[in-house]
């Protein structure tokens, strides 16, 4: 009996272990391979199915928790993913991957501090994982630490020079930083390893399109559709190509193929509005564009497109209510001034129309001014004080403070925002704006240069140009503009700035070449461009071409001092119709005042 009693616990333990076989069973070697392969190609559903088979074969939850969480993340099911990842219980060898997936879950859920904590745990276990550094970089980017995100992208490439995701992330950053052509080789290198990866193909196609390689872009989008026939982004990219080629009906049909899956994508909303406008459906275009215009108040291209839709739909009351205030500003675009003026004319109010049309005809280059928000400044103050680290709230509030000439208040808010997000491109650019408003052009230029290391939009280039001039470093702007134009050859603003620089340097041949290229690319109705081109042609001694360009500009806007001056000069230098030339020069001076070019033309007469 004593011996039986001694054996009983051992027997019970054996029975417990036998009954609990699945709880403690090890995963068979290779059992996870099908799931890992599915996850690697981005197929979360196939990954989940494969993992459930592993679980049914005897694995426990910890064995598959990290991968199951990844599979559910790929499907966009954050709630179920948290059930697997939230406890933080991962099998040996899966810990780093599990913490990385939890970090991704928290990032996608908007819990950025929690995401950082999870990534820190993963980093302690796997400090040279390129995918982890990519995820850390993405977290830093959305968290307003974009300079630090650049550093993370470099760490990712150092850890995995051929890793497709590291290459993709670096390419995405390069597009904003150094131009489309700089990103293409990285996409191509990544696609050598994952030729059917839809994320890589989509980024590559979009970059090809922006780089002006439309045929190559079409080839890539067709490949995407071959892989996933209903891929919405591929159909959207093809619609963009058709719209650029002027094939409006085709573009609308292609965009319809994307269905409603892009209904919240800003670029798709803007394209839809543009296509409806071009198709003659102005009311539908206005309704589509209004909701996006409310979300992007400083997107000038979008705002002007919305104004055009309101004008063409004869909704003059809403046009005036929405844009008359903006049109009163000294920096109002000439196109908006013309729309407002024509609207008043069509309403029979010529007295109200006259000042807007006169200003549009003057074709002067507006000063750079801060854009205030539509909401009252007190409302913006309350919103900012509740959440001072949210970019949209800080930026809008600072703009309104600057517009109200409250420099001290703007400095306070911009400084707090920069302290909260020291590596943010937005915070740096905003600090530069405040420095410019305070007459500190040198400080502004330093801030703009740092911001441009992350993201270099046209608006920043324009502000940098002004800060170079005001800091007494105008000559230093020339290589910056030239470099920008090389990176973004489609930028009309950079081309105009480059033409101006070449003209001031006396290189009229280069200035003329740039301006003629702009005219061919859709600038045939830009009266200032045509007038500038006429002057460049005059300086090159091509009087016939100068006269043709000036005549074209004058026909478009005969009430403009700029076009009158251009045509008067062209006639004077060509030695034709001196009486008309003199009258035009007098008209230009009466509208726009005296200048050295008018004096030169009169001497020529």
């Amino acid at each position: 009996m004593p011996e039986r009693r001694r054996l009983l616990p051992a027997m019970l333990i054996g029975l417990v272990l036998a009954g609990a076989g699945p709880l403690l069973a090890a995963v068979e070697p290779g059992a996870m391979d099908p799931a890992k392969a599915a996850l690697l190609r981005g197929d979360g559903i196939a990954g989940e199915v494969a993992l459930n088979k592993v679980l049914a074969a005897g694995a426990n939850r910890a064995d598959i928790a990290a991968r199951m969480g990844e599979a559910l993340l790929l499907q966009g099911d954050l709630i179920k993913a948290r059930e697997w990842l939230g406890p933080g219980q991962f099998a040996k060898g899966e810990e780093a991957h599990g913490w990385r997936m939890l970090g991704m879950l928290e990032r996608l859920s908007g819990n950025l501090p929690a995401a950082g904590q999870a990534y820190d745990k993963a980093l302690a276990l796997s400090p040279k994982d390129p995918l982890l550094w990519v995820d850390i970089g993405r977290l830093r980017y959305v968290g307003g630490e974009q300079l630090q995100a650049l550093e993370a992208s470099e760490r990712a490439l150092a850890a995995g020079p051929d890793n497709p995701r590291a290459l993709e992330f670096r390419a995405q950053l390069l597009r904003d930083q150094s131009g489309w052509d700089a990103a293409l080789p990285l996409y191509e290198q990544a696609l050598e390893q994952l030729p059917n990866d839809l994320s890589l193909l989509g980024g590559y196609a979009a970059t090809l399109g922006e780089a002006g390689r439309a045929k190559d872009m079409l080839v890539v989008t067709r490949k995407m559709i071959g892989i996933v026939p209903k891929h919405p982004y591929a159909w959207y990219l093809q619609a963009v190509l058709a719209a650029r080629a002027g094939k409006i009906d085709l573009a609308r049909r292609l965009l319809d193929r994307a269905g409603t899956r892009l209904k919240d994508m800003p670029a798709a909303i803007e394209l839809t509005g543009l296509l409806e406008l071009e198709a003659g459906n102005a009311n539908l275009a206005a309704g589509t564009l209004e909701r996006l215009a409310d979300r992007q108040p400083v997107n000038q291209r979008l705002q002007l497109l919305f104004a055009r839709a309101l004008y063409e739909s004869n909704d003059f009351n809403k046009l005036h209510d929405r844009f008359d205030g903006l049109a009163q500003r000294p920096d109002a675009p000439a196109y908006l001034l013309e729309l407002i003026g024509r609207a008043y004319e069509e309403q029979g109010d010529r007295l109200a129309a006259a000042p807007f049309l006169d200003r549009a005809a003057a074709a002067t280059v507006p000063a750079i001014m801060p854009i205030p928000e539509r909401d009252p400044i007190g409302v913006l103050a309350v919103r900012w004080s509740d959440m001072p680290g949210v970019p949209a709230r800080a930026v809008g509030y600072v703009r309104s403070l600057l517009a109200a000439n409250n420099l001290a208040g703007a400095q306070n808010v911009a400084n707090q925002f920069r302290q909260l997000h020291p590596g943010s491109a937005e915070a740096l650019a905003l600090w530069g704006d405040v420095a410019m408003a305070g007459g500190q052009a040198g400080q502004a230029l330093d801030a703009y240069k740092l911001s441009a290391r992350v993201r270099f939009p046209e608006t920043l280039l324009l502000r940098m140009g002004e800060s170079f001039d005001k800091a007494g470093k105008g000559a230093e702007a020339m290589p910056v503009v030239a470099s920008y134009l090389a990176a973004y050859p489609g930028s009309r603003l950079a081309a105009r700035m480059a033409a101006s620089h070449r003209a001031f340097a006396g290189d009229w041949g280069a200035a003329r070449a740039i301006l003629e290229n702009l005219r061919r690319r859709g600038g045939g109705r830009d009266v200032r461009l045509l007038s500038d081109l006429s002057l460049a042609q005059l300086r090159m001694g091509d009087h016939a071409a100068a006269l043709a360009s000036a005549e074209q500009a004058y026909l478009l806007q005969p009430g403009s001092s700029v076009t009158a001056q251009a045509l008067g000069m062209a006639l004077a230098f060509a030695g034709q119709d001196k009486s008309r030339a003199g009258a035009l020069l007098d008209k230009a001076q009466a509208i726009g005042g005296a200048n050295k070019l008018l004096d030169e033309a009169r001497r020529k007469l």
Side-chain angles (χ1 to χ4, degrees):
M1 285 296 295
E3 288 184 5
R4 290 179 63 189
R5 280 197 294 270
R6 283 197 300 271
L7 290 172
L8 187 58
M11 291 171 64
L12 287 173
I13 290 171
L15 288 171
V16 170
L17 288 175
L23 294 176
L24 297 178
V27 178
E28 291 292 328
M32 297 275 282
D33 289 350
K36 290 180 179 179
L39 297 176
L40 184 62
R41 64 176 183 266
D43 191 340
I45 294 175
E48 182 182 6
V49 171
L51 289 166
N52 280 326
K53 290 180 180 178
V54 175
L55 189 64
N60 61 43
R61 285 181 65 90
D63 291 325
I64 68 165
R67 306 293 169 171
M68 185 65 84
E70 182 181 6
L72 293 165
L73 284 175
L74 286 170
Q75 297 175 58
D77 193 338
L78 304 188
I79 295 175
K80 287 186 178 179
R82 188 170 294 280
E83 294 175 5
W84 289 90
L85 299 171
Q89 296 176 3
F90 309 113
K92 186 175 181 180
E94 289 286 294
E95 301 100 327
H97 191 76
W99 290 117
R100 183 167 77 83
M101 289 300 108
L102 179 58
M104 184 182 296
L105 170 64
E106 298 293 8
R107 174 168 64 84
L108 294 173
S109 302
N111 305 321
L112 302 190
Q117 293 170 7
Y119 286 145
D120 284 343
K121 292 180 180 179
L123 196 60
L125 295 166
S126 184
K128 293 185 178 180
D129 179 1
L131 293 177
L132 176 57
W133 279 109
V134 168
D135 286 350
I136 290 172
R138 295 195 186 283
L139 173 66
R140 289 175 176 178
Y141 198 93
V142 299
E145 297 179 340
Q146 281 120 17
L147 288 175
Q148 292 86 343
L150 282 173
E151 179 190 354
S153 75
E154 292 166 357
R155 295 284 293 269
L157 275 181
D162 296 322
N163 184 278
R165 295 301 164 217
L167 290 164
E168 179 184 35
F169 184 45
R170 187 68 182 133
Q172 290 167 341
L173 295 179
L174 272 178
R175 288 190 309 191
D176 291 338
Q177 177 192 20
S178 303
W180 314 109
D181 287 334
L184 288 173
L186 295 179
Y187 277 118
E188 290 162 356
Q189 188 179 346
L191 283 166
E192 288 176 3
Q193 299 168 68
L194 297 177
N196 295 324
D197 185 89
L198 289 168
S199 175
L200 288 171
L201 288 168
Y204 184 47
T207 307
L208 285 169
E210 294 297 343
R213 293 170 55 180
K215 290 182 180 179
D216 294 333
M217 174 184 176
L218 186 59
V219 170
V220 177
T221 57
R222 285 173 175 167
K223 180 174 181 177
M224 294 170 69
I225 292 168
I227 298 169
V228 178
K230 294 184 178 180
H231 197 287
Y233 192 56
W235 290 113
Y236 161 76
L237 290 173
Q238 289 200 2
V240 170
L241 274 182
R244 287 177 177 173
K247 300 176 181 178
I248 303 304
D249 290 339
L250 174 60
R252 293 176 72 201
R253 290 196 300 271
L254 291 169
L255 198 56
D256 284 343
R257 301 287 290 272
T260 60
R261 288 163 290 179
L262 299 178
K263 62 182 176 62
D264 294 323
M265 177 180 167
I269 297 171
E270 185 174 345
L271 178 61
T272 301
L274 174 63
L275 294 175
E276 294 297 347
L277 193 55
E278 293 297 326
N281 303 321
N283 284 314
L284 189 56
T288 300
L289 293 168
E290 183 170 13
R291 61 191 178 100
L292 185 59
D294 287 339
R295 287 159 50 188
Q296 298 184 0
V298 298
N299 183 337
Q300 188 178 94
R301 183 188 66 252
L302 171 64
Q303 295 298 327
L304 292 179
L305 190 62
F306 179 38
R308 178 186 159 198
L310 292 174
Y311 174 77
E312 293 192 8
S313 63
N314 296 320
D315 195 347
F316 299 138
N317 289 334
K318 181 173 279 190
L319 175 65
H320 293 314
D321 178 63
R322 182 82 178 220
F323 291 103
D324 272 15
L326 181 60
Q328 296 290 349
R329 290 164 53 91
D331 62 340
Y335 183 69
L336 178 62
L337 294 170
E338 188 169 353
L339 285 178
I340 299 291
R342 298 300 177 203
Y344 275 119
E345 271 193 338
E346 293 194 30
Q347 291 173 291
D349 192 345
R350 291 185 176 276
L351 187 63
F356 293 106
L357 294 175
D358 288 345
R359 287 173 57 205
T364 55
V365 178
I368 299 175
M369 296 177 62
I371 301 174
E373 300 292 303
R374 299 184 69 201
D375 294 320
I377 198 165
V379 173
L380 296 171
V382 172
R383 288 177 185 165
W384 170 76
S385 62
D386 287 342
M387 302 180 73
V390 175
R393 299 193 177 189
V395 171
Y397 187 30
V398 169
R399 285 198 187 108
S400 291
L401 288 168
L402 289 176
N405 295 318
N406 185 350
L407 181 60
Q411 287 173 333
N412 176 51
V413 176
N415 194 41
Q416 288 191 50
F417 184 45
R418 188 177 57 157
Q419 288 173 353
L420 288 169
H421 302 291
S424 163
E426 209 159 22
L428 290 164
L430 192 65
W431 180 250
D433 292 344
V434 173
M436 277 290 288
Q440 303 295 321
Q443 289 184 19
L445 186 56
D446 291 341
Y448 291 151
K449 286 179 177 178
L450 277 175
S451 181
R453 286 182 55 197
V454 177
R455 192 185 305 125
F456 206 169
E458 281 188 339
T459 51
L460 184 59
L461 177 67
L462 188 63
R463 284 134 75 194
M464 282 183 72
E466 184 178 13
S467 61
F468 270 118
D469 288 339
K470 291 188 174 178
K473 300 178 180 180
E476 294 181 25
M478 295 175 67
V480 174
V481 172
S483 176
Y484 189 94
L485 189 57
Y488 302 99
S491 170
R492 296 178 63 83
L493 173 64
R496 291 302 303 272
M497 292 175 72
S500 295
H501 288 156
R502 299 322 312 162
F504 280 117
D507 188 352
W508 290 102
R512 175 181 179 175
I514 294 170
L515 293 170
E516 286 181 339
N517 177 266
L518 281 170
R519 182 174 61 179
R520 288 192 297 270
R521 286 165 45 202
R525 297 187 62 82
D526 184 334
V527 296
R528 177 163 285 278
L529 186 151
L530 292 168
S531 300
D532 289 346
L533 174 57
S534 177
L535 179 60
Q537 290 163 335
L538 274 184
R539 293 297 191 235
M540 293 295 294
D542 193 344
H543 296 166
L547 188 55
S549 298
E551 285 277 20
Q552 186 182 355
Y554 189 73
L555 282 172
L556 289 168
Q557 277 193 6
S560 163
S561 64
V562 173
T563 62
Q565 176 175 304
L567 184 53
M569 286 191 69
L571 287 168
F573 276 81
Q576 297 182 21
D577 202 341
K578 293 186 178 183
S579 175
R580 185 187 180 203
L584 285 166
L585 296 175
D586 290 343
K587 178 180 179 178
Q589 183 166 338
I591 298 172
N595 61 62
K596 292 181 180 180
L597 289 176
L598 285 174
D599 294 340
E600 180 186 355
R602 285 200 175 90
R603 288 194 299 272
K604 192 69 176 177
L605 279 177

